[in-house]
Each structure stands twice: as C-alpha cells, then as structure tokens.
Amino acid sequence: MEAVSEQKPRSRRKRMTGKERREQLLDIGRQLFAERGFDGTSIEEIAARAGVSKPVVYEHFGGKEGIYAVVVDREMQQLLGMVSEALIGEHARAKLENAALALLRYVEESSQGFRILARDSHAASGTGSFASLISDIATQVEHLLADEFRSRGYDPKLAPMYAQSLVGMVALTGQWWLEVRKPKREVVAAHLVNLAWNGLSSLDPKPRLETLQRRRRTD
C-alpha cells in the first residue's frame, strides 16, 4: 500500500501593522545612519534590509530625510530627558556627577544614537546640530552654576559660558570614550568631575592670561 505523505501547511509570515512597519524602518535607518551617516545611506538599502519595496518607505516617511528627522529627534529627546532627570540632589557637585554619568550612560547604552548625533546632525534632520544639543543641555546646567557663583562671590552672568565649557568637555570626552570604552563609565565620570569641580572650587574671580601680562611688562 502506498504511503500517503502528509504535507504540512506553509507557515505564513504575519503581516506587519503600519505602526510595526514604521518602527522597523526607523530601527534599520538608525543602524545605517550610525554606520554610514546620512549621505552614505540610501533608500534602496533601507528598503532591502526591511524586505520591502522603496514605495513602502516613501509611503511612511516620504524619503530617507523623513526617517532621519525622526531618528535624530528621538535621540535628542532621549539624551535631554536623561540629563534632566539626572539633575537632582541638593548639592551642586552631586548634580554635576549625576549629569556626567547620565551623558556617559547614554553614550554606552545608545552608542548608535550618539554616533548619529555626534556626526553633527545633517540639515535634513530639521532639529539642529550636535552643537545646538550641547547648548540645550548647557542651558539646564547654567542656573546651577549661577547659584554656585553667587554663593562664592563670582559674577553669575558668566555662568552660561562656564556651563557650555563643562558640558562640552563631557560631550567631547564621551566621543573619545565611545571608541575606547576604557576606563569604566564611573571612572571616567569621576575624573571629569574631579577636573571640573576642583577647578570650579578654586576659581579666580578675575582671571587673566599670564602670558599676556608678561608681554605687557616687557613692552
């Protein structure tokens, strides 16, 4: 008697909802933008990795500019949110430590996103550059420095400049640390705060350039 072969029904892939497809395209775009930047990424490759045709990408985002704008905006909001939540504590040093740790934690846990932001966001993002992001973070820090300056008899009007310097120092160190990943996050934060805090605690109220003063004496 001839054996009857049983054919198993073919498993059908579950069709993605519009929201699921959108998130898939954003994830793929994020990976490619981190690897190659905006100009090095093409709609063709995004569509190929997603297993869809180019019109599907255009339908959801209108092009890679649309994907890029959403990716950059999400990353900026995430980083700003992490730093804002970190600015807690009664003492100014604790807030500085928390903020440094938050930025480094973002670098460590969202390395793809940080690579995209640190490339200096393309004009297609519509959300500004990495420098503008640093400026936004510095704005949240400057009022802390202004209070500290007043208590020490320094000019609080200089707080915005110092805030830009401090946040820029941490951000640039984060770019370096993104590649080397040594020492550990907590160690890097400790050294950054050591440089910043001990420098702030010994500020000269009216600093002058020593080399410039020497030149004036010899003229």
Side-chain angles (χ1 to χ4, degrees):
M1 189 173 179
E2 196 172 318
V4 179
S5 60
E6 293 185 5
Q7 290 186 347
K8 294 182 179 179
R10 292 182 181 178
S11 59
R12 293 184 179 179
R13 291 176 60 183
K14 183 182 177 182
R15 185 168 181 173
M16 287 187 178
T17 64
K19 183 178 180 181
E20 289 171 338
R21 180 66 73 192
R22 180 181 171 85
E23 291 302 318
Q24 180 206 29
L25 293 172
L26 286 170
D27 288 341
I28 291 171
R30 185 174 183 266
Q31 293 169 17
L32 289 171
F33 294 137
E35 292 170 12
R36 305 176 186 182
F38 177 83
D39 292 328
T41 301
S42 68
I43 280 290
E44 288 80 4
E45 189 162 12
I46 294 173
R49 286 204 186 185
V52 298
S53 61
K54 288 194 294 181
V56 173
V57 182
Y58 290 123
E59 179 185 345
H60 283 277
F61 294 99
K64 71 174 180 178
E65 293 84 0
I67 299 177
Y68 188 77
V70 176
V71 168
V72 169
D73 183 64
R74 283 187 175 185
E75 295 301 327
M76 293 180 81
Q77 293 306 317
Q78 181 184 352
L79 178 52
L80 283 170
M82 290 173 69
V83 173
S84 298
E85 290 176 9
L87 293 175
I88 56 176
E90 297 181 0
H91 198 276
R93 173 159 183 160
K95 293 177 181 179
L96 185 60
E97 289 181 356
N98 290 337
L101 277 170
L103 201 152
L104 291 173
R105 181 163 63 88
Y106 171 79
V107 172
E108 187 173 48
E109 296 176 358
S110 301
S111 57
Q112 287 184 339
F114 187 73
R115 285 183 193 279
I116 294 170
L117 295 180
R119 272 198 176 99
D120 203 9
S121 303
H122 193 276
S125 70
T127 54
S129 65
F130 186 57
S132 68
L133 172 63
I134 296 304
S135 182
D136 288 343
I137 297 175
T139 299
Q140 299 184 50
V141 174
E142 67 183 50
H143 72 279
L144 303 176
L145 291 181
D147 292 341
E148 192 71 19
F149 277 21
R150 288 190 192 92
S151 68
R152 294 173 180 268
Y154 304 136
D155 186 357
K157 293 180 181 178
L158 295 173
M161 180 181 69
Y162 278 91
Q164 293 283 343
S165 301
L166 286 172
V167 175
M169 177 180 71
V170 178
L172 287 174
T173 303
Q175 285 184 274
W176 165 81
W177 185 67
L178 175 64
E179 304 301 332
V180 298
R181 296 301 178 98
K182 291 180 181 179
K184 291 182 178 180
R185 178 175 70 203
E186 291 77 11
V187 176
V188 176
H191 281 280
L192 284 169
V193 174
N194 179 44
L195 174 61
W197 186 256
N198 289 326
L200 287 171
S201 63
S202 302
L203 280 182
D204 187 335
K206 295 183 179 180
R208 295 180 181 179
L209 299 175
E210 291 185 7
T211 52
L212 189 58
Q213 287 180 302
R214 291 196 195 102
R215 286 176 193 167
R216 286 173 177 170
R217 292 194 198 104
T218 56
D219 289 343

